[in-house]
Amino acid sequence: MSHDHGIVVPAPGAGFLPHTVAHHFDSPTQEFQSAKLGFWLFLATEILLFGGLFAAYFFFHQVYPETFRLGGQQLSWKLGALNTTVLLISSWTMAMGVRSAQTSQKRKLLIYCGLTLLGAAIFMVVKIIEYKAKFDHGFLPVFGGTDYDQATHQLSWFKDYHNVMVGVQNPSLFFSIYFTMTAIHGVHVLVGAGLIIWIMVGAAKGRFHANYFLPVDLVGLYWHLVDLIWIFLFPLLYLVP
Amino acid sequence: MISYLLQDPAKPVHAMAEGVDQYGQLTKLASTFSHVDNLFYFTYVVCIFFFVLITGVLFYSVVKYRRKTFDQPAVSNRTHNTPLEVVWTVVPLIIVMVMFAWGWKGSLDMTVVPADARQYKALAKQWNWTFFYPNDAVPSSGELWLEVNKPAAFTLESSDVLHAFYMPSMRVKRDVVPGRFQTVWFQPTTEGEFHLFCAEYCGKDHSQMYAKVHVVSADVYRTRPWDTWDDKNPKKGGENLYKSLCASCHTINGTKLTGPTWKDLWGKQEQVVEAGQIKTVTVDEAYVIESIRKPDQKKVVGFEKANMTAFDDKVIDEKRVKGIIEYMKSLSNAGSEKK
Amino acid sequence: MTTNAPAMGVATGSHDTVKKNYLEISKGFWSWAGTLDHKRIGIMYLIGVSLALLAGGVFAMLVRLHLWKSTGVLFDNATYNQIFTLHGVFMVFIFIIPAIPGSLGNMVLPLMLGAKDVALPRLNLLSFYLWLSGTCLALYAIVAGGFDTGWTFYAPYSIYTNQAVVSVGLGIFLLGFSSIFTGLNFIVTTHKLRAPGLTWFRMPLFVWAIYATAILQVLATPVLGITVLLVAFERLYHIGIFDPRLGGDPVLFEHFFWFYSHPAVYIMVLPAFGIISDLISVHSRKPLFGYKLIAFSSIAIAMISFLVWGHHMFTSGQSSYAMFAFSFLTFFVGIPTAIKEFSWVATVWKGSIALNSPMLYTLSFLIIFAIGGLTGVILGALNVDIHLHDTYFVVAHFHYVMMGSIALAFFAGVHHWWPKMFGVMYSEFYAKIACALIFVGFNATFIPQFIMGSRGMPRRYATYVPEFEGFHQASTIGALVIGTGVALMVGNLVLSIFTGKKAMQNEWGGVTLEWLSPTPPPLENFYEQPIVTTEVYDYTTLDLRTTQTPCS
Ligand code: HEA
Ligand code: HEA
Ligand code: CUA
Ligand SMILES: [Cu+2]
């Protein structure tokens, strides 16, 4: 039960802290690999979670093609493209952040994380602008209370207001799916931003360095997943229709 | 209780024709879908065979190889026997493939509706069934009449949640899905009365969503036994019509559903909207007739957004409208006073 | 399985005085509530799921008593609907899915692998608390107006009903993530923390089974998560995906639900298979017949089970092609299971069979599961299922597999590992009587249900046509007998903690690694890292001095 193997000595450099390997692991490598495998499995569950939403998307796209065509045209592909670019760049800054951690560059790690955070912020602001535009035009995700008469009433009002969806079956469905998917994705962006802040706090204390950078690595993976999902959402919602 | 388990399978359990088949397992078959029973009993025998085999070997082993002293080792430590393993993989595989093909073929029979089938419509609603007969204005609710040996096909519609059309003796079941049309068909072969259950959970009174199905001879069928109209008692006839056609939207106890209640309706001063103008009308014969024929003409205040089905004289002819009015009068103090 | 450690043995046991076991090492509420020790988490799960079983069992008793008369005796229809829904939700999501992995898996899997803990202990504790929060939400729903949709919460009824669907839905969401994290943890543990020399094909079959289960938990559960989220959104925001009034499709909901819930039945049953495999070997003192085939068939079942969900929807009006494929694959999934069943029977053959209480439960499992599985095969036949779907035949089928098989395997495992967990032995006499009561009561409850089901008695009925009254009454009497049996079993086990005699280190004469650790194990399970040098289930290496297994 000796724990002499259990301390990871910090890489040379100013102000780094040593890391203690959890008691039940034999080596830092074992700890690293376990956490990484676990995290990949978690990412798989995330993909399957969105998989359900994608299944619903394809199903309704099949059933109401016209609704999806017209609905998609109401979205601004320019804003979508802007967000795609922002996320792609932030993915790159995150990768560079991980790289900085691996090479014990504390300052760079902080800067790159900060940039990624900025990307997340821009993304969310653009998203809010988009949502707001939808709300203003009556593309509400909420169609009435429990009263279904009221719900259909709102729908007809919404149809008249725009004239674009006239005669289309169930115009609300496209927007339901749009809002559900982007909202759940948005929650992921927020969670990712929170994790990055947590990394930055740790980085400032000097917890991450060439000999121990596991959390940075994992948060990096998470951020790439958030990005990847958006890469699928963007063409499906904004372009395919 | 025991008497139920031991009952003579040939004897009907109730006044129903259902009863139990000769093996006492299934309800007595009353349609042409005998392949269901055949496959059921085939699989049943297979199950019993494997069950007896497994239990037999277990019992024999437990008796024979029981550990007598605490250090007694196993008689054999063998962990493989390839021929045996192949046998117990391949034999079940063959058996289940037979079951699969048999069941698949049977299910195809059940989906292909014969050309000479009569087309009925069944409307499911929390928690009752209404049946519409081909080329016939009079529907029936809670009861259904079919002709023996004549294929019957049903279009199933739901006006709220999921339900399922289930007749055990006919071996048919089909979910009734709101927003979709489903069909089911069968050919009854025995005269008698049969159960029709709702087999998909649909809320509070799911277990009471029941209809009695009468399978009758061609002669009886021709008399249209579901049409209970009796010229001598128009009020009774009106009540029946109310139950099958109007009860889904109108109550007689004061609560409002899709439409206003009929309690105390007759003779009432009603606020209605006609061509954008609010007016007050008296509920009299003319108004009721208009409400039935052209419900959108005058909309009751508070129900402007709700729509009522229009019924023309093919569905409800003049004398039946009179019947409904008689019935409506009986629900209202004003109505009975006026008389 | 021998090792280079001093011995399976008395010798190791004597350290007990020097080193404290995991139960004694620290005291107080927080030493449990905040523990990262897999064994303590296992015990907390054991207590939690047992209470859930008792709660679910009380609901079951209410269901059975109500159905004594065809008009129903205890409740009005609406209340009855809530009671059977609560029964289903408690039994499925709160009891049986977490039961074996959460309690016995946590307890035994790291021991079997020769590991000091699971790979991610903090996540493990999080799983437990997610389970607890999910359970609390479900309990909250009872006070917040109840829940009456059936455990399948089919749309659109679940969208329209004015009950606490959202809170139960979120509860199920949390329970789902609890299950995902448990599975994830076990996969990592199995990959990364095996003792030196413990190759994949030297792992006990319980580990294989938990591993296959974990794959299903990780891959299927997220779909349940998104499904309940969508239902919640549907109720809160009327997004219309499942609501036909807004253009949605209720059948899509059924697909979503069963895409998870069919694999879920194997999430429930695979760990039970694992327990049975291990126990049957120990109590027959014989290596398992067809070890590799059993291991692979678990994986095969896990894979195929993703492709058969449509067999719950044969009457929903899917296309003939879908019917064809789903029915075919359903039959196919019976084959790996048949291989297992036959291999178990072949293991008993020519063994050295000790009829201890765990073995009695195991044998009951083999008999009951044969019926439960074979009736599943009957349901796989397309035309027959059209008649039997949503009748008591289905109810009887899944109780044969869930209560009769899985719960009994769980009881078997609890009796088997009880001496390892607590270091005490219960009364074998009462344990056997309880087992007999449960076995007899169980069959008395559910055989009548098979009969009335095939005669057309629909399920979820608060009232029914009078001709089925006799069967329902037989069933109710049976249920009371099960209740007595379960009460006796629980009483016997709980009492043993206070009055039971001290257990031996290797109570039953097992040769897997968990019997090598002291009883009860210390914090890090082994005094020295065990190293495995022999094949699995090799009883020639059994040191008979460590065990005095009674022979009957
Ligand atoms: C853990 C639980 C569990 C398990 C293990 C199973 C196992 C199986 N189940 Fe079951 N099932 C449920 C839980 C389970 N089921 C539940 C909860 C429901 C209802 C849900 C609801 O609607 O509320 C259900 C419903 C259900 C249906 C839908 C019925 C309906 O609603 O219409 C079907 C149809 O195909 C089915 C089939 C099967 C099959 C083929 C197996 C197979 O895996 C069985 C394999 C086992 C064997 C085959 C036995 C052992 C082998 C032998 C003895 C050797 C000989 C074998 C052969 C000759 C084949 N099950
Ligand atoms: C793990 C799963 C599991 C288990 C173990 C059980 C166990 C039992 N179930 Fe359950 N059941 C389900 C899962 C399960 N069930 C599901 C999923 C449904 C479908 C729900 C739906 O349709 O949505 C269902 C539905 C269901 C029905 C059908 C209801 C209906 O369709 O209307 C019935 C009816 O008899 C029933 C009975 C029982 C009984 C008698 C037991 C017994 O085996 C219980 C034994 C346990 C105990 C009794 C508890 C311990 C004992 C005590 C606490 C002592 C005191 C008790 C007394 C003696 C009074 N169950
Ligand atoms: Cu209608 Cu159940
Ligand atoms: Cu299934």
Side-chain angles (χ1 to χ4, degrees):
Chain A
M1 286 235 300
S2 59
H3 271 318
D4 28 337
H5 63 259
I7 310 288
V8 179
V9 197
F16 286 125
L17 300 174
H19 163 70
T20 316
V21 175
H23 75 102
H24 58 290
F25 288 114
D26 289 333
S27 65
T29 330
Q30 195 186 32
E31 180 180 52
F32 182 80
Q33 290 179 346
S34 301
K36 199 125 183 196
L37 177 61
F39 207 77
W40 275 108
L41 289 167
F42 174 70
L43 295 186
T45 67
E46 288 277 19
I47 290 176
L48 280 152
L49 193 106
F50 275 96
L53 291 172
F54 282 113
Y57 171 91
F58 285 116
F59 178 79
F60 286 113
H61 190 273
Q62 183 85 6
V63 184
Y64 308 118
E66 194 58 4
T67 307
F68 274 64
R69 197 178 65 78
L70 285 172
Q73 283 171 4
Q74 307 311 306
L75 302 182
S76 154
W77 67 267
K78 287 180 190 145
L79 288 180
L82 172 64
N83 258 351
T84 312
T85 323
V86 169
L87 270 196
L88 279 174
I89 294 175
S90 79
S91 230
W92 175 77
T93 53
M94 192 67 221
M96 291 309 288
V98 176
R99 175 102 203 98
S100 315
Q102 288 168 344
T103 50
S104 306
Q105 291 165 294
K106 192 163 150 183
R107 243 178 68 82
K108 271 196 173 172
L109 171 57
L110 281 170
I111 292 174
Y112 279 123
C113 281
L115 287 174
T116 316
L117 213 52
L118 185 68
I122 297 177
F123 180 89
M124 287 315 291
V125 169
V126 173
K127 203 77 252 166
I128 288 166
I129 294 173
E130 276 192 277
Y131 273 21
K132 179 133 191 329
K134 303 289 158 326
F135 286 172
D136 288 350
H137 290 259
F139 293 108
L140 293 172
V142 187
F143 293 106
T146 42
D147 184 346
Y148 280 84
D149 292 334
Q150 197 191 331
T152 34
H153 186 63
Q154 285 203 6
L155 281 177
S156 55
W157 163 79
F158 144 93
K159 261 190 287 186
D160 300 343
Y161 192 79
H162 282 277
N163 284 328
V164 282
M165 310 282 272
V166 179
V168 173
Q169 276 179 302
N170 302 303
S172 65
L173 265 178
F174 175 82
F175 289 97
S176 301
I177 293 203
Y178 164 80
F179 277 110
T180 313
M181 290 181 103
T182 53
I184 294 183
H185 178 262
V187 169
H188 280 75
V189 173
L190 290 179
V191 170
L195 290 173
I196 291 169
I197 292 174
W198 174 67
I199 289 290
M200 289 173 76
V201 172
K205 286 189 196 144
R207 279 183 59 210
F208 310 121
H209 45 78
N211 291 350
Y212 180 71
F213 51 84
L214 177 65
V216 191
D217 212 13
L218 300 186
V219 171
L221 281 177
Y222 183 81
W223 193 253
H224 294 321
L225 178 90
V226 171
D227 188 22
L228 182 80
I229 289 172
W230 180 257
I231 304 270
F232 280 98
L233 286 181
F234 172 58
L236 285 181
L237 293 170
Y238 293 76
L239 303 180
V240 166
Chain B
M1 177 191 101
I2 299 292
S3 64
Y4 271 100
L5 296 172
L6 299 177
Q7 76 204 344
D8 175 4
K11 224 171 72 196
V13 190
H14 238 50
M16 299 278 170
E18 314 242 351
V20 180
D21 72 354
Q22 51 184 325
Y23 306 107
Q25 257 296 321
L26 297 167
T27 17
K28 195 183 231 147
L29 179 70
S31 77
T32 51
F33 293 139
S34 54
H35 52 78
V36 175
D37 294 28
N38 298 340
L39 181 52
F40 178 84
Y41 283 116
F42 172 74
T43 53
Y44 201 80
V45 169
V46 170
C47 287
I48 289 177
F49 171 78
F50 281 104
F51 175 71
V52 169
L53 183 79
I54 287 170
T55 326
V57 174
L58 283 179
F59 266 97
Y60 179 81
S61 312
V62 167
V63 173
K64 180 96 195 281
Y65 306 113
R66 187 75 173 276
R67 193 183 297 169
K68 310 253 163 38
T69 56
F70 83 90
D71 55 353
Q72 176 182 326
V75 177
S76 149
N77 276 334
R78 182 150 188 191
T79 60
H80 285 288
N81 183 337
T82 311
L84 194 62
E85 285 172 81
V86 169
V87 167
W88 75 42
T89 310
V90 172
V91 170
L93 188 64
I94 295 173
I95 295 176
V96 296
M97 285 304 115
V98 171
M99 293 180 192
F100 163 69
W102 194 337
W104 163 242
K105 205 185 149 292
S107 82
L108 283 183
D109 285 0
M110 298 172 101
T111 40
V112 183
V113 184
D116 63 335
R118 274 212 187 97
Q119 295 287 342
Y120 298 84
K121 186 177 118 180
L123 180 69
K125 189 167 190 329
Q126 281 167 330
W127 293 273
N128 59 51
W129 296 97
T130 308
F131 305 98
F132 298 85
Y133 298 80
N135 304 317
D136 195 298
V138 182
S140 62
S141 194
E143 271 180 283
L144 167 69
W145 278 265
L146 297 173
E147 183 183 327
V148 71
N149 293 327
K150 176 82 183 163
F154 289 81
T155 309
L156 306 174
E157 266 179 57
S158 162
S159 53
D160 38 49
V161 299
L162 295 170
H163 303 272
F165 179 102
Y166 179 34
M167 288 192 64
S169 332
M170 306 299 165
R171 309 289 187 260
V172 291
K173 181 181 293 120
R174 190 70 160 186
D175 292 4
V176 191
V177 183
R180 285 192 182 191
F181 296 102
Q182 305 263 60
T183 50
V184 66
W185 83 276
F186 57 92
Q187 178 173 343
T189 53
T190 318
E191 287 179 34
E193 291 176 353
F194 301 94
H195 300 308
L196 193 164
F197 296 119
C198 174
E200 185 60 77
Y201 178 67
C202 53
K204 183 166 135 290
D205 290 336
H206 161 63
S207 64
Q208 275 144 8
M209 191 166 157
Y210 174 85
K212 189 185 276 181
V213 181
H214 308 263
V215 176
V216 294
S217 67
D219 290 339
V220 179
Y221 187 84
R222 222 168 289 129
T223 65
R224 302 170 62 251
W226 59 92
D227 185 356
T228 46
W229 186 262
D230 176 2
D231 278 331
K232 283 186 221 97
N233 191 352
K235 195 187 113 200
K236 180 77 194 144
E239 182 176 357
N240 287 339
L241 278 171
Y242 162 76
K243 278 188 193 146
S244 53
L245 288 176
C246 323
S248 50
C249 300
H250 297 283
T251 65
I252 52 170
N253 63 5
T255 47
K256 63 173 184 185
L257 297 175
T258 314
T261 180
W262 285 4
K263 185 167 192 279
D264 292 331
L265 178 62
W266 184 261
K268 184 182 170 197
Q269 300 289 318
E270 188 74 281
Q271 298 258 329
V272 296
V273 187
E274 186 172 22
Q277 303 286 311
I278 297 195
K279 306 182 174 168
T280 308
V281 293
T282 315
V283 179
D284 55 11
E285 205 163 309
Y287 173 72
V288 171
I289 294 178
E290 190 188 63
S291 294
I292 294 174
R293 302 283 186 236
K294 291 188 211 130
D296 286 350
Q297 189 73 32
K298 298 193 178 72
K299 291 254 164 193
V300 179
V301 171
F303 294 87
E304 294 91 338
K305 278 181 274 152
N307 288 319
M308 169 173 157
T309 339
F311 299 93
D312 63 14
D313 60 1
K314 277 208 231 78
V315 182
I316 311 178
D317 57 19
E318 292 310 318
K319 75 175 182 210
R320 288 193 167 79
V321 170
K322 294 269 160 51
I324 290 176
I325 289 173
E326 285 307 313
Y327 175 58
M328 225 180 249
K329 283 180 185 165
S330 74
L331 301 170
S332 159
N333 290 332
S336 25
E337 273 160 27
K338 253 184 202 165
K339 255 190 151 178
Chain C
M1 212 181 280
T2 37
T3 72
N4 74 340
M8 307 255 321
V10 234
T12 340
S14 63
H15 285 267
D16 274 357
T17 44
V18 194
K19 293 180 180 171
K20 285 189 165 164
N21 70 46
Y22 79 106
L23 293 168
E24 290 166 347
I25 195 154
S26 53
K27 291 236 155 17
F29 177 75
W30 288 109
S31 77
W32 282 85
T35 183
L36 295 180
D37 180 11
H38 70 98
K39 297 181 287 302
R40 285 192 169 193
I41 296 176
I43 299 284
M44 294 199 294
Y45 262 117
L46 182 63
I47 297 170
V49 298
S50 303
L51 290 176
L53 168 70
L54 295 187
V58 169
F59 291 130
M61 289 302 154
L62 294 176
V63 164
R64 286 289 5 132
L65 291 174
H66 174 75
L67 295 176
W68 181 260
K69 281 247 155 11
S70 65
T71 47
V73 280
L74 295 181
F75 316 107
D76 56 11
N77 292 355
T79 317
Y80 175 82
N81 295 342
Q82 295 185 347
I83 300 279
F84 83 71
T85 302
L86 285 167
H87 167 63
V89 168
F90 265 73
M91 286 300 197
V92 170
F93 294 112
I94 302 179
F95 165 60
I96 208 161
I97 289 181
I100 298 176
S103 63
L104 297 174
N106 255 322
M107 189 74 203
V108 180
L109 181 111
L111 284 165
M112 282 184 159
L113 293 174
K116 289 177 192 144
D117 203 325
V118 293
L120 310 161
R122 250 181 291 234
L123 192 66
N124 202 11
L125 189 64
L126 177 66
S127 294
F128 177 74
Y129 281 110
L130 283 174
W131 177 87
L132 200 62
S133 330
T135 307
C136 289
L137 274 175
L139 286 170
Y140 167 73
I142 300 180
V143 272
F147 181 59
D148 73 340
T149 62
W151 81 281
T152 49
F153 49 102
Y154 270 14
Y157 183 70
S158 58
I159 304 174
Y160 303 155
T161 181
N162 77 27
Q163 306 231 338
V165 178
V166 173
S167 110
V168 177
L170 294 181
I172 290 174
F173 188 80
L174 297 182
L175 290 165
F177 270 89
S178 159
S179 168
I180 290 176
F181 290 150
T182 306
L184 189 156
N185 218 333
F186 289 157
I187 295 184
V188 178
T189 309
T190 311
H191 272 277
K192 297 295 174 196
L193 296 189
R194 295 196 310 278
L198 187 63
T199 58
W200 283 86
F201 290 114
R202 283 177 179 173
M203 295 192 318
L205 282 166
F206 182 65
V207 178
W208 271 102
I210 292 283
Y211 182 77
T213 311
I215 296 178
L216 287 175
Q217 285 174 307
V218 167
L219 295 183
T221 320
V223 179
L224 176 74
I226 195 70
T227 310
V228 290
L229 268 192
L230 287 178
V231 170
F233 287 174
E234 198 78 69
R235 291 182 65 91
L236 298 171
Y237 307 122
H238 300 281
I239 55 175
I241 291 183
F242 301 134
D243 187 345
R245 300 194 200 181
L246 299 173
D249 189 352
V251 178
L252 183 70
F253 175 88
E254 295 180 24
H255 281 290
F256 272 44
F257 182 79
W258 291 113
F259 182 83
Y260 164 76
S261 292
H262 182 79
V265 309
Y266 296 99
I267 291 178
M268 307 169 201
V269 84
L270 285 175
F273 289 168
I275 292 181
I276 295 308
S277 302
D278 254 52
L279 264 57
I280 214 157
S281 165
V282 173
H283 297 276
S284 305
R285 198 168 283 169
K286 193 173 160 225
L288 254 158
F289 194 93
Y291 168 91
K292 276 195 185 171
L293 271 181
I294 295 188
F296 284 136
S297 64
S298 288
I299 306 288
I301 291 173
M303 297 298 153
I304 306 173
S305 73
F306 275 107
L307 304 171
V308 305
W309 77 87
H311 67 207
H312 297 273
M313 303 163 58
F314 284 156
T315 63
S316 72
Q318 10 177 337
S319 76
S320 324
Y321 303 106
M323 304 269 273
F324 183 93
F326 285 131
S327 171
F328 182 83
L329 289 162
T330 299
F331 282 114
F332 213 73
V333 93
I335 300 304
T337 321
I339 293 175
K340 280 181 195 279
E341 175 92 20
F342 290 130
S343 301
W344 290 324
V345 174
T347 307
V348 178
W349 178 256
K350 293 199 176 173
S352 161
I353 299 155
L355 281 187
N356 308 307
S357 52
M359 185 61 165
L360 282 183
Y361 278 111
T362 304
L363 292 171
S364 310
F365 170 96
L366 290 181
I367 293 171
I368 293 175
F369 183 69
I371 304 180
L374 286 163
T375 49
V377 171
I378 296 187
L379 291 171
L382 278 168
N383 60 348
V384 177
D385 182 67
I386 287 173
H387 174 51
L388 296 176
H389 172 71
D390 268 343
T391 63
Y392 265 76
F393 193 92
V394 177
V395 173
H397 155 67
F398 68 70
H399 281 91
Y400 261 79
V401 277
M402 299 214 287
M403 169 68 199
S405 308
I406 303 169
L408 253 56
F410 174 64
F411 300 161
V414 169
H415 281 85
H416 183 74
W417 283 299
W418 191 264
K420 176 65 35 183
M421 286 191 262
F422 295 105
V424 291
M425 262 305 283
Y426 44 83
S427 151
E428 269 283 277
F429 176 73
Y430 286 114
K432 286 177 188 169
I433 293 197
C435 177
L437 282 175
I438 295 175
F439 183 81
V440 172
F442 174 79
N443 286 293
T445 311
F446 293 104
I447 286 178
Q449 298 194 1
F450 274 128
I451 303 175
M452 62 178 152
S454 49
R455 291 188 190 175
M457 166 76 210
R459 63 190 278 206
R460 297 172 169 176
Y461 263 29
T463 56
Y464 51 90
V465 288
E467 66 219 50
F468 295 119
E469 209 162 62
F471 295 114
H472 274 293
Q473 293 182 354
S475 184
T476 302
I477 292 171
L480 292 174
V481 177
I482 312 183
T484 319
V486 176
L488 180 60
M489 177 192 80
V490 173
N492 184 27
L493 287 174
V494 171
L495 209 66
S496 76
I497 295 181
F498 306 105
T499 61
K501 68 176 198 312
K502 204 169 162 344
M504 267 167 280
Q505 168 171 350
N506 188 352
E507 185 71 36
W508 313 110
V511 286
T512 38
L513 284 181
E514 81 271 26
W515 299 110
L516 183 72
S517 85
T519 292
L523 183 62
E524 291 196 337
N525 296 342
F526 300 90
Y527 295 134
E528 273 151 77
Q529 172 70 64
I531 296 175
V532 181
T533 54
T534 54
E535 295 311 316
V536 65
Y537 303 128
D538 182 352
Y539 289 90
T540 56
T541 64
L542 176 65
D543 180 353
L544 282 167
R545 281 169 306 155
T546 64
T547 176
Q548 305 260 322
T549 328
C551 19
S552 61

